[in-house]
Amino acid sequence: MNHFYFIILTLLLFSCTSKYQKVKPLPHIVIDMPQGVGWEEKDSCSILYISSNFDTLHLKGGIKCRGGLSSAYGKHNYSLELNDKFELCGLPKEDDWILHANYIDKTFMRHKLSYDLFRQMSVNNIAPQSTFLTVSYNGEFHGLYTAIQRVNRSLIGAKKGDTCAFLFKEPEVFYNHQNDSIVRTGNYNFQKYPKFHKANKNVLLDELNHFLFHSSAEVFIQNIDKYFDLNNLMDWHLLLLVTNNSDGIMKNFYCYGLNDGLGVRIVPWDYDHSFGRDGNGDRNDLDRNADPERAIVIKRLMSIGGDNTYVHQLEKRYKALRSSGVFSSENLTKKVKVMEKQIRPYIQSNFERWPVDGAYYIDSNDFEMELAILLDYFPKCFKMLDERFGYQP
């Protein structure tokens, strides 16, 4: 590749600059596809991977652009499927990866911060691991990216041959399908595992949906823990409150089940709508609070009276996470500072390529301003939630 030596020289100069000598360079991926990367099918590719230690490797596989609303942004997200499993950027070995542009989030941190926090809340919580890297595209620096694990059979821990395992992305399980006589066909719950054409698991979520909307109060109370892992559900509920992600209640999550009798569990996904910003980039400093009770399962759980109910357990769980320091400004600020140290050397280059006042941005805030919004959000959020749950620091 014509720009290969230029990239190596740039990384070497970076590592020798006194300002960043104590900062390990980020891995770098070179995408060289003059015909462009398509949207429908993965195009065969051979990308050049340069590690933080300047080791180089050609990785073969397929690549395509990905995204919904984000597809309008010039800085695209990519799906990368390698021919062989590989520890991309030091993450667990996998062959299926997402290169996320974080275009609308000028801190680049909201997805990673949310996923890392959810896993920290409990060893049983599953969320993608992620880390930062830089990307070149057809001879030009393309910006700072995040490598993210794809949510798949491997991530949820489903064993091959587990015929009870399932995984859905953004299923319609919390929507009230008022006319049950309407027959829905196709992969309407967006089944990801097993492959829909091999085993249709929609009936499981249809049964769950009917239970949530049509069971009596008595039947609901007696059976809800058979349908859901309530510990996982409670942590998801609290994650929505701490991140203030109102966009993650009815969508932006995966749900899965295994042959272990614990019921349905949630995996958070797509959390740029969080920590003081909405998904479209608009400011939100807790003036519009997320309402997890929009999800019928949480609404019904919160309505149950008496002792030792979900309401009391939720309060107890919040206080435990606050007391342990997991839910604290200090913990979140520490995570942000670690990420800031990793990405700061690349911020200027990224925004030279994608200006802070470019298309689809609500305002022209730069990285420093956005970082301040993030750090200012933490104490305000915990102050509000402490009052709600009666926690005394």
Side-chain angles (χ1 to χ4, degrees):
M1 297 180 182
N2 295 333
H3 55 290
F4 170 72
Y5 293 107
F6 170 76
I7 293 167
I8 291 292
L9 179 60
T10 300
L11 293 172
L12 286 170
L13 287 173
F14 167 87
S15 67
C16 294
T17 302
S18 59
K19 183 178 180 181
Y20 301 128
Q21 275 185 343
K22 294 183 180 179
V23 182
K24 194 171 185 179
L26 292 178
H28 187 81
I29 279 182
V30 180
I31 301 172
D32 193 12
M33 299 186 71
Q35 75 277 21
V37 178
W39 287 89
E40 299 301 323
E41 301 293 334
K42 290 187 176 75
D43 299 314
S44 296
C45 66
S46 177
I47 65 171
L48 177 67
Y49 174 74
I50 306 172
S51 75
S52 296
N53 298 320
F54 308 113
D55 297 322
T56 61
L57 184 66
H58 285 279
L59 303 175
K60 295 185 181 297
I63 190 170
K64 72 173 184 175
C65 297
R66 72 182 306 275
L69 293 176
S70 64
S71 63
Y73 310 150
K75 185 184 181 188
H76 295 316
N77 305 317
Y78 300 105
S79 289
L80 177 64
E81 186 173 358
L82 302 175
N83 291 349
D84 301 297
K85 291 187 176 183
F86 179 69
E87 294 178 353
L88 189 69
C89 305
L91 295 173
K93 186 178 289 187
E94 185 55 84
D95 56 6
D96 216 355
W97 296 96
I98 291 169
L99 305 181
H100 200 282
N102 285 303
Y103 179 80
I104 207 69
D105 177 13
K106 296 178 189 176
T107 71
F108 298 85
M109 300 180 187
R110 284 179 167 86
H111 291 302
K112 179 172 172 55
L113 181 61
S114 301
Y115 304 155
D116 290 355
L117 177 61
F118 190 63
R119 291 198 312 276
Q120 187 183 16
M121 289 166 68
S122 170
V123 295
N124 296 317
N125 289 342
I126 291 176
Q129 293 189 52
S130 59
T131 191
F132 300 105
L133 76 164
T134 53
V135 172
S136 290
Y137 182 73
N138 288 340
E140 295 183 345
F141 180 73
H142 205 57
L144 180 63
Y145 274 73
T146 308
I148 305 178
Q149 288 180 309
R150 184 178 289 278
V151 181
N152 54 21
R153 179 193 64 81
S154 175
L155 187 67
I156 64 173
K159 298 178 180 178
K160 290 183 177 180
D162 182 353
T163 58
C164 294
F166 59 84
L167 174 67
F168 293 87
K169 182 181 182 182
E170 298 185 337
E172 298 179 353
V173 67
F174 299 142
Y175 288 92
N176 187 5
H177 307 298
Q178 296 180 356
N179 190 345
D180 287 342
S181 65
I182 296 177
V183 178
R184 297 191 295 166
T185 60
N187 191 12
Y188 53 85
N189 275 313
F190 312 106
Q191 181 179 318
K192 307 300 288 186
Y193 178 81
K195 295 292 185 182
F196 177 72
H197 68 275
K198 292 184 177 180
N200 183 350
K201 297 282 187 176
N202 274 305
V203 65
L204 298 174
L205 291 199
D206 291 343
E207 178 187 340
L208 174 59
N209 179 266
H210 189 272
F211 168 78
L212 291 174
F213 281 97
H214 301 294
S215 62
S216 67
E218 181 180 3
V219 170
F220 179 85
I221 292 170
Q222 290 177 346
N223 294 280
I224 183 60
D225 60 350
K226 299 175 185 176
Y227 282 95
F228 279 94
D229 180 337
L230 293 181
N231 291 323
N232 169 269
L233 189 73
M234 199 174 298
D235 279 4
W236 175 61
H237 185 167
L238 291 173
L239 180 72
L240 292 169
L241 293 176
V242 170
T243 59
N244 200 32
N245 182 7
S246 61
D247 207 34
I249 300 167
M250 304 297 286
K251 60 176 186 175
N252 290 346
F253 65 87
Y254 288 78
C255 70
Y256 73 98
L258 304 173
N259 187 22
D260 55 12
L262 294 179
V264 171
R265 277 151 284 187
I266 302 290
V267 177
W269 183 251
D270 198 357
Y271 265 62
D272 53 4
H273 191 127
S274 60
F275 298 114
R277 282 283 187 188
D278 286 341
N280 64 353
D282 197 11
R283 285 287 299 272
N284 178 11
D285 290 325
L286 296 170
D287 52 328
R288 299 184 301 277
N289 293 326
D291 180 15
E293 291 189 44
R294 286 167 50 208
I296 183 63
V297 62
I298 292 179
K299 180 179 181 179
R300 294 197 69 175
L301 283 166
M302 293 293 288
S303 70
I304 299 173
D307 298 330
N308 199 34
T309 60
Y310 179 85
V311 174
H312 292 101
Q313 292 301 315
L314 186 71
E315 177 182 316
K316 182 179 178 181
R317 179 64 174 153
Y318 175 80
K319 290 178 178 179
L321 289 166
R322 281 291 275 143
S323 297
S324 69
V326 172
F327 277 3
S328 67
S329 296
E330 293 78 13
N331 180 46
L332 295 182
T333 298
K334 182 179 179 181
K335 293 180 185 297
V336 166
K337 291 300 182 182
V338 170
M339 289 186 281
E340 179 192 358
K341 185 177 180 181
Q342 292 175 317
I343 68 176
R344 181 171 284 281
Y346 306 92
I347 292 300
Q348 181 177 342
S349 297
N350 182 86
F351 289 119
E352 286 175 356
R353 178 68 180 85
W354 308 102
V356 296
D357 59 352
Y360 299 100
Y361 285 135
I362 297 294
D363 52 46
S364 59
N365 280 9
D366 61 15
F367 176 74
E368 304 298 339
M369 295 174 180
E370 288 300 308
L371 190 62
I373 290 172
L374 198 62
L375 296 174
D376 184 58
Y377 171 88
F378 302 149
K380 287 195 270 188
C381 174
F382 287 120
K383 181 177 184 296
M384 178 192 72
L385 293 177
D386 286 350
E387 293 174 357
R388 178 182 300 186
F389 289 108
Y391 176 75
Q392 297 293 329

